[in-house]
Amino acid sequence: MRIHIAIATFVVAVAAVATAQADSPLSPKKHGDFGHYTLALTWQPGFCAEGQCAADQNHDVRLGLHGLWASRPQDLISRGVAARQWWSRGCDFYHHSDAAPQLDGATRRHLERVMPQLDRSLLTHEYDKHVQCFDFDTQRFFATELGLRQRVTDSPLGDWLRQHAGQRVARADLRAEFDRAFNTSKTQALQLRCSGPYDSRYLSQLWFTIPRAHLAEFPQDAGLMNAPIAQHNCPAHFRVPDWPSA
């Protein structure tokens, strides 16, 4: 019992720090003239369903974290780099490091708890592709994305997803819940990503589009914008999978 209490206390403490960090805007020192961020959250049972996660992936998290992705900087737009090229290469247009981010122990443990655990470190990949070329304060950046994830997890939308785990749902119902939860009409700010065969698709990710200057206001209406390029691929009905042991 004492171990469970200690773990719960640790998680609450780290979440509080992450939420506080998310209230402060990020300030990239380089290439800071991009338009928006994409907050990519994983629906962990779906993301891991195809066997890409480690065998010891923890099952106490359903709504996980993929990353926080800046859109194209203006110099790349001026050079004619298309959005899809940026999605593919990211910071490799400027520099490739393949180095792990320098983080304090508590933040790293929290990230390991909520991110999918892959054969190749997703944390290192995210830092190299989406963070290092902007010269963000690394500690603040990852604490911020943890805080943004926590806001969705603690919201009515997070509750709705957990309540429907293991069920087949209508895309329109999930989108309507998103609108209600965050009092917004920017329905296209949420992009739903599904995996699996066409006739049995299941939820694997949720991508939220956030205007760069209003990151601190996410997920309320001012902190949302309709995605400039649609990337949703879920059909009208799909399954919200649960962990096999649940």
Side-chain angles (χ1 to χ4, degrees):
M1 178 64 73
R2 291 180 181 176
I3 293 175
H4 290 305
I5 292 173
I7 292 173
T9 301
F10 164 77
V11 170
V12 170
V14 173
V17 172
T19 301
Q21 293 279 12
D23 287 332
S24 302
L26 293 174
S27 299
K29 296 177 184 176
K30 299 177 182 177
H31 314 298
D33 53 2
F34 56 90
H36 64 273
Y37 293 97
T38 297
L39 175 68
L41 301 185
T42 54
W43 183 252
Q44 216 84 301
F47 189 88
C48 293
E50 296 182 343
Q52 59 184 327
C53 297
D56 59 351
Q57 175 77 43
N58 75 74
H59 286 190
D60 63 338
V61 170
R62 291 187 177 92
L63 195 58
L65 175 65
H66 190 159
L68 183 65
W69 309 332
S71 61
R72 285 172 298 167
Q74 288 300 313
D75 69 310
L76 294 185
I77 294 174
S78 298
R79 285 162 51 186
V81 173
R84 293 185 185 279
Q85 292 174 290
W86 172 247
W87 299 342
S88 175
R89 292 184 59 191
C91 282
D92 274 0
F93 276 105
Y94 300 109
H95 173 66
H96 180 80
S97 72
D98 206 27
Q102 298 300 306
L103 299 168
D104 65 41
T107 300
R108 183 174 293 278
R109 288 191 295 273
H110 195 182
L111 287 164
E112 289 173 350
R113 177 177 173 271
V114 302
M115 294 184 84
Q117 298 303 303
L118 311 179
D119 290 338
R120 180 189 176 200
S121 170
L122 179 58
L123 176 58
T124 297
H125 169 76
E126 289 296 298
Y127 173 69
D128 184 41
K129 184 176 181 181
H130 298 290
V131 185
Q132 50 87 12
C133 64
F134 293 95
D135 201 10
F136 285 107
D137 179 303
T138 304
Q139 181 66 38
R140 180 176 294 279
F141 183 91
F142 284 100
T144 295
E145 67 176 21
L146 282 168
L148 298 174
R149 171 207 168 259
Q150 195 65 43
R151 292 179 185 181
V152 179
T153 298
D154 293 342
S155 73
L157 178 64
D159 291 339
W160 190 94
L161 288 165
R162 286 186 291 272
Q163 290 164 6
H164 289 81
Q167 300 177 28
R168 189 169 173 82
V169 302
R171 182 182 62 211
D173 290 345
L174 199 165
R175 287 191 174 280
E177 183 58 37
F178 167 75
D179 291 349
R180 284 193 297 270
F182 305 128
N183 192 27
T184 186
S185 60
K186 299 169 185 173
T187 307
Q188 297 303 316
L190 172 61
Q191 303 285 293
L192 300 172
R193 302 286 297 177
C194 284
S195 301
Y198 179 78
D199 58 349
S200 56
R201 302 284 276 172
Y202 53 83
L203 182 67
S204 58
Q205 297 194 66
L206 303 96
W207 293 354
F208 301 84
T209 308
I210 308 170
R212 175 181 54 80
H214 296 279
L215 186 67
E217 295 162 88
F218 176 83
Q220 299 308 313
D221 185 70
L224 296 166
M225 63 177 279
N226 288 322
I229 302 175
Q231 297 180 71
H232 53 82
N233 69 347
C234 289
H237 293 86
F238 55 88
R239 189 164 52 88
V240 179
D242 206 349
W243 293 113
S245 59

